[in-house]
Each structure stands twice: as structure tokens, then as C-alpha cells.
Amino acid sequence: MDNRRKENRERLTTFTPVYFLNPRVLLGYLADLTIHGGMVIGEKNVETGKQGILAIEFPDTLTDILLTHISVPARVAWCRTDTDNSHQYNIGFEFNELSPEHSKVITAILKKYRF
């Protein structure tokens, strides 16, 4: 079975921290996003296959969007050294379960903050 994503990810133009919860640890900052997952740029190598709850904190400037943060179960799909900065990692993750409300929030954010 082909595990490659079927849609293009949208790069974001906002500063968006992403945390693993329990315990709360900064994973990095969101680089791109779809309603199925995204990529985080961080300073730590993360084990592929790791499961956890991700907390994504969108900027407060989203006055027209009700939720500025979401918590969603996710899996680390891959993690590799950033080609531009060997001290950083690109961490790809996929959402395990996304509520309809969170899907609407992500869709609205992608419309407003992509390039």
C-alpha cells in the first residue's frame, strides 16, 4: 500500500508552535499543514511511529476563527535532518483522528495563512 500523501501541503506564513502533550514538550514550529497532517521544524530527533496528542497553538490574530488551538491524536510519520540546517529536524506527522470542528478550523487557517 502506498503511504504517500495524496494532497499538497500548504506552507504557513504564521509562527505556530506545536507541542506533544503528557508531558507538554515543545516539538517545534509548524511549517506546513493539511487536514490530514503536517510538518514541524524542531531541534530534536523524534522516533518515527511515535503516537501522542499534539497541541497546535495558532496565532491570536485569528479573530474570525473561534479556536486558536487544537489538540489532536497524531503519529510521527517520519523525521529527518533539515537539509538547510543540520541542527534542526523536519518532522512529518499525520492526524489519527480529526473532529469536524478541528477540520473546519484548519481549513479556515489554510485559506487565510498560506502562500
Side-chain angles (χ1 to χ4, degrees):
M1 185 163 106
D2 188 2
N3 284 338
R4 296 177 192 212
R5 74 179 95 86
K6 306 284 190 269
E7 59 187 39
N8 290 328
R9 290 186 174 162
E10 297 290 346
R11 291 198 165 274
L12 301 179
T13 59
T14 66
F15 184 72
T16 307
V18 178
Y19 299 87
F20 260 126
L21 297 180
N22 302 322
R24 183 180 167 103
V25 176
L26 179 65
L27 182 60
Y29 298 91
L30 198 59
D32 60 40
L33 181 68
T34 73
I35 60 168
H36 301 290
M39 185 181 78
V40 170
I41 299 173
E43 295 181 352
K44 296 179 184 171
N45 190 1
V46 180
E47 178 184 347
T48 299
K50 180 177 180 169
Q51 302 275 346
I53 304 295
L54 288 182
I56 304 172
E57 296 184 356
F58 298 108
D60 291 336
T61 57
L62 299 174
T63 57
D64 57 338
I65 298 172
L66 296 177
L67 295 177
T68 59
H69 67 280
I70 62 172
S71 297
V72 59
R75 178 185 76 85
V76 175
W78 51 266
C79 181
R80 38 187 176 259
T81 304
D82 189 304
T83 56
D84 295 328
N85 183 342
S86 63
H87 299 292
Q88 293 183 328
Y89 294 90
N90 294 331
I91 307 158
F93 61 89
E94 64 183 1
F95 300 134
N96 293 336
E97 184 180 323
L98 195 63
S99 72
E101 183 179 21
H102 289 164
S103 181
K104 287 179 187 176
V105 169
I106 290 173
T107 299
I109 287 168
L110 290 174
K111 287 180 183 177
K112 187 170 184 174
Y113 286 103
R114 65 183 180 189
F115 62 90

